[in-house]
Amino acid sequence: MVEQFDDRWAVPRKAAEHYYNLIYHTKTGLYSASAQMLGAAAAIQALRTHYSNYGNGYQHEHSEMGLVLSEVNYLVSHKAETGYANANDTLEMVGKIALATLIKIKLDEERTYRPW
């Protein structure tokens, strides 16, 4: 099943980390962020949270997926509250991008043995 994973919605790790920094470390990043940027940033935040709570030894994908969807909900809701939301800034779109990015990063880690 993993071999058939379609990563067209996934954001590469390096770009995802860049988007994470823009959104979480600058005041204007969230307002101008696209759905792709929001999803990628949510994936990185979920991985960072998971790693800080459990370290490298705990590899439970359901926990990471739950964290990423929670982060997507937070970012989409927060952006909507600011009045800067776009038509593509939906839970479905951002969530799809975030989950695909998370899965792609995890698959790449398994291939290269580069955990968080």
Side-chain angles (χ1 to χ4, degrees):
M1 184 165 143
V2 174
E3 294 82 26
Q4 298 175 356
F5 172 66
D6 180 4
D7 67 355
R8 286 181 287 175
W9 290 100
V11 175
R13 182 182 193 147
K14 192 168 195 148
E17 289 172 345
H18 175 72
Y19 296 151
Y20 166 85
N21 286 326
L22 285 175
I23 291 172
Y24 285 92
H25 298 294
T26 65
K27 300 229 183 245
T28 59
L30 179 64
Y31 309 121
S32 61
S34 65
Q36 180 182 27
M37 293 169 73
L38 293 172
I44 296 297
Q45 178 62 19
L47 286 168
R48 288 178 184 229
T49 300
H50 187 267
Y51 177 71
S52 69
N53 289 340
Y54 303 109
N56 280 340
Y58 183 73
Q59 299 295 326
H60 197 275
E61 291 80 14
H62 293 105
S63 171
E64 292 167 337
M65 289 183 188
L67 285 169
V68 81
L69 291 177
S70 176
E71 198 60 32
V72 164
N73 186 50
Y74 168 76
L75 289 175
V76 170
S77 298
H78 190 62
K79 187 170 180 184
E81 288 172 4
T82 66
Y84 288 95
N86 300 314
N88 286 334
D89 295 339
T90 64
L91 290 174
E92 180 182 1
M93 178 65 73
V94 177
K96 184 186 315 185
I97 294 165
L99 286 170
T101 301
L102 175 75
I103 293 167
K104 172 105 172 88
I105 289 171
K106 297 301 287 180
L107 288 173
D108 289 347
E109 284 178 356
E110 286 180 16
R111 289 184 194 120
T112 61
Y113 302 102
R114 182 182 159 212
W116 281 88

